[in-house]
Amino acid sequence: MYKLANKLWQVMNTASDNKRLRVLQAGSVLVMLFLLVLGGFHISTVPVDSDTYIHAGERFFAGDIDQARTPVYPVICHLALYLGNAGMYLIALLQAVVFVVSVKWLYKTAQMIFSEHNVVAFIVVALYAWNIAVVHYVLMIMTESLSLSCVVLLFMLIVKGIKEKFTVKDALVMTSLYVVMLFLRPFFISFAPLLVLYFIFARKNFGRGAIVSFWAGLAIVAACYVGYCAAFNARYGVFTTSSVPDINLNAQFYEAGLLESPIWEADTVVMVRDHALNREVLMANRKAWFVHMCDESLMSARQLYPKIVLSHGGKMCQPLSLQISAGMLYLITLVFAIVTFVRWHRFKADVRIETLMLLTIIVTVVTSVWGAFGIYTRLMLPCYTALCIVLGYFFARFNRI
């Protein structure tokens, strides 16, 4: 064990970026294989949720818009499942490959941020690449793994634009990526203000072509999103991307004691009727709902983050995972926000990246708790990369001491 730790320390301090990256990616693959063996070579599903992606794929390929799910992941599932049960492993393989590539993206991001701290950059990526609580989503039929990988690529483009230069190519990649993110998980609409703030922060590193491409890209994204909402409205009568927000809000009302039964227990979800019901209940019980959600925000602090939901081998890997309570996530975010403000206000430090990481965590947490119900820390997964980078800033300051 001592020899292994010594070799790892040597790798962390080596001058070879390629060697450090190979170790990080190899470690990630080993964690995946360990989980696959531990779970008896099963690909896990989440009750109800995973099935909705599979059924949505059938609906999209039949030429109809699905009521619950946007198209990206259902299309992947439908194409893969032409192979039958083997398709489940194909989906997991796709997620695994993308995740391993995202380790490289995060490594490049960490190198740009912590260019003078090789050990810190290594630790930041290792927290992402080797954490069982994160890696296990690769082996699940859910959007979590691909969503997190997309966030890593987005961060790499953002940090590159602040630290180096944002090019036309970067703008094209960001546009394509954000369209995929929105239709992979509509939650990512909450990132739109962050992208506008990013442009304000990095404007000096944009050439004329990059500026045009960036705003043209956002216009294309907006057109795609609004167009899909319009098509959904034409099909189901509500201007949105799916029924999930209404189901979540209705569940909040049920938990608050404002309804006798939630709409998820009904045989069918009728969008126009249920949307109108939610609006009626909200208008009549705004204070009670607000108090309930404040209570839920406090209660969410008790949940572990990142959440482990692996149905095969989950209990065995729980003690091996790097998890904190959501309350600790909130505390770390608060402390980092104070430190960042002091550095900006008193020392005029460049805190653009720190601010974007903070806002990513805040937006994700607020949307997860106030926009959903139940297992909040699973929904918070997209901000995990931002947490790793925030911790990297703390580690870097300790390293100076």
Side-chain angles (χ1 to χ4, degrees):
M1 183 63 70
Y2 173 78
K3 290 183 178 179
L4 179 61
N6 187 51
K7 287 183 178 179
L8 183 59
W9 179 253
Q10 291 176 358
V11 169
M12 292 167 67
N13 286 278
T14 183
S16 172
D17 286 338
N18 289 334
K19 189 171 184 179
R20 284 195 294 270
L21 180 58
R22 284 198 300 270
V23 169
L24 287 164
Q25 290 180 315
S28 181
V29 172
L30 288 175
V31 172
M32 292 177 197
L33 293 176
F34 169 74
L35 288 170
L36 192 61
V37 173
L38 185 66
F41 296 92
H42 289 285
I43 302 301
S44 295
T45 58
V46 173
V48 180
D49 285 354
S50 298
D51 289 341
T52 61
Y53 289 110
I54 295 171
H55 295 152
E58 298 171 357
R59 187 179 293 272
F60 281 116
F61 273 80
D64 195 9
I65 293 178
D66 186 69
Q67 186 170 258
R69 300 301 180 187
T70 43
V72 170
Y73 202 69
V75 166
I76 292 172
C77 291
H78 191 78
L79 292 174
L81 291 176
Y82 277 124
L83 299 177
N85 289 334
M88 304 279 276
Y89 292 90
L90 183 60
I91 296 169
L93 178 61
L94 170 65
Q95 293 175 169
V97 170
V98 174
F99 187 85
V100 172
V101 174
S102 74
V103 173
K104 182 177 181 179
W105 295 333
L106 182 56
Y107 182 75
K108 289 183 176 180
T109 305
Q111 283 294 94
M112 286 187 282
I113 298 174
F114 308 109
S115 56
E116 299 179 359
H117 305 278
N118 287 336
V119 173
V120 172
F122 188 95
I123 292 173
V124 166
V125 182
L127 287 172
Y128 170 83
W130 298 352
N131 189 352
I132 287 175
V134 173
V135 178
H136 85 280
Y137 286 104
V138 164
L139 302 178
M140 299 185 64
I141 306 302
M142 290 289 287
T143 61
E144 270 70 11
S145 182
L146 290 179
S147 295
L148 187 56
S149 297
C150 287
V151 172
V152 174
L153 178 54
L154 183 66
F155 281 176
M156 187 183 77
L157 295 171
I158 286 174
V159 173
K160 179 179 179 293
I162 292 176
K163 287 286 187 179
E164 298 174 0
K165 186 177 181 180
F166 192 83
T167 65
V168 172
K169 179 181 177 181
D170 295 332
L172 295 175
V173 173
M174 182 176 283
T175 299
S176 303
L177 173 66
Y178 196 42
V179 169
V180 170
M181 290 171 71
L182 279 178
F183 294 110
L184 176 67
R185 197 166 180 169
F187 147 81
F188 284 117
I189 190 63
S190 63
F191 276 35
L194 299 182
L195 292 179
V196 175
L197 181 61
Y198 160 65
F199 175 82
I200 296 171
F201 282 170
R203 166 66 182 82
K204 292 182 180 180
N205 289 343
F206 281 57
R208 182 178 298 177
I211 293 174
V212 173
S213 299
F214 178 85
W215 286 108
L218 284 187
I220 291 171
V221 171
C224 291
Y225 187 79
V226 171
Y228 189 87
C229 288
F232 190 95
N233 181 56
R235 176 66 177 82
Y236 295 106
V238 179
F239 192 83
T240 184
T241 55
S242 80
S243 61
V244 173
D246 269 304
I247 291 173
N248 287 341
L249 180 59
N250 189 269
Q252 292 172 359
F253 294 151
Y254 174 70
E255 290 179 336
L258 304 175
L259 290 174
E260 293 184 0
S261 62
I263 60 176
W264 80 68
E265 291 183 349
D267 293 333
T268 58
V269 175
V270 181
M271 283 293 299
V272 174
R273 178 199 66 196
D274 297 329
H275 184 75
L277 172 63
N278 281 345
R279 184 176 179 81
E280 179 183 339
V281 174
L282 181 60
M283 291 298 102
N285 301 276
R286 283 176 291 185
K287 183 178 179 180
W289 171 79
F290 182 80
V291 170
H292 168 74
M293 293 313 301
C294 288
D295 290 340
E296 286 294 296
S297 298
L298 294 174
M299 292 293 289
S300 69
R302 302 172 58 185
Q303 298 184 5
L304 290 177
Y305 179 76
K307 182 71 175 179
I308 291 181
V309 290
L310 192 63
S311 57
H312 300 281
K315 293 180 180 179
M316 293 290 291
C317 65
Q318 182 87 46
L320 304 176
S321 301
L322 298 174
Q323 293 176 289
I324 59 175
S325 67
M328 183 59 67
L329 170 64
Y330 305 159
L331 180 60
I332 291 171
T333 304
L334 176 61
V335 172
F336 190 69
I338 294 171
V339 171
T340 299
F341 177 78
V342 171
R343 291 182 60 236
W344 170 75
H345 188 258
R346 292 191 59 185
F347 304 106
K348 309 304 178 185
D350 180 358
V351 295
R352 292 174 294 174
I353 295 174
E354 294 96 313
T355 301
L356 288 170
M357 295 303 109
L358 277 170
L359 291 175
T360 298
I361 295 174
I362 292 170
V363 164
T364 303
V365 167
V366 171
T367 305
S368 298
V369 177
W370 287 73
F373 69 102
I375 306 176
Y376 301 118
T377 46
R378 173 171 69 83
L379 304 176
M380 294 177 192
L381 190 65
C383 76
Y384 181 74
T385 310
L387 173 62
C388 292
I389 292 173
V390 165
L391 292 175
Y393 277 105
F394 282 122
F395 298 152
R397 293 193 68 80
F398 291 147
N399 195 36
R400 291 193 188 101
I401 297 173

